[in-house]
Amino acid sequence: MNNARILTLVEEGRIQAGYHWWGANPDESSPRVVRAMSVDYRNAVHYGPETTIDVWISRIGTTSYTVSQELFQQGRSCVSAEVVIVILDRDTRQPMTLPESVRETLHANLFSDQTPQN
């Protein structure tokens, strides 16, 4: 599978986790954007076999948080990714301090020392 397609799978996993964490209609008044992304390709990913992605919060900062992801195919870890997300102030378009409601949701999904169990 093409490496660009893998990034799309990682993004889709992150979006689905966001729907689970914040509900079907997350607050869009303060957009969330990717500040940085690190991807480690461990094993080939092939079209066809079922692919699953574990998604969890691994770090919570003042103005950003890190989403960690592990992509599996046929029970084998193939790709890991870390994505730093910031929330922008709607007016200034600058990173803003994470609101307390966001922090609460992030803490509920925080696994800083290990990958959560499948």
Side-chain angles (χ1 to χ4, degrees):
M1 183 178 296
N2 181 289
N3 66 325
R5 176 67 180 128
I6 302 251
L7 294 179
T8 300
L9 288 173
V10 168
E11 177 186 28
E12 289 172 0
R14 197 169 57 253
I15 289 168
Q16 290 303 313
Y19 286 148
H20 177 74
W21 298 336
W22 282 286
N25 297 312
D27 177 16
E28 295 296 333
S29 64
S30 299
R32 291 170 172 85
V33 297
V34 172
R35 181 175 177 104
M37 178 184 285
S38 172
V39 181
D40 183 18
Y41 299 90
R42 295 187 177 129
N43 290 295
V45 178
H46 302 280
Y47 287 103
E50 181 178 329
T51 303
T52 59
I53 302 176
D54 285 349
V55 182
W56 68 98
I57 303 301
S58 57
R59 188 192 65 79
I60 303 169
T62 303
T63 62
S64 67
Y65 58 94
T66 302
V67 179
S68 292
Q69 299 174 252
E70 191 80 21
L71 185 145
F72 294 89
Q73 197 169 61
Q74 297 179 317
R76 182 177 63 167
S77 173
C78 296
V79 176
S80 63
E82 286 193 341
V83 182
V84 177
I85 304 287
V86 296
I87 300 177
L88 299 180
D89 179 275
R90 183 177 169 176
D91 297 324
T92 67
R93 306 302 284 176
Q94 295 297 311
M96 60 185 264
T97 301
L98 297 175
E100 191 57 36
S101 61
V102 170
R103 286 184 170 285
E104 289 173 7
T105 299
L106 294 173
H107 276 286
N109 295 284
L110 179 65
F111 294 90
S112 59
D113 294 334
Q114 61 185 4
T115 304
Q117 298 298 313
N118 278 344

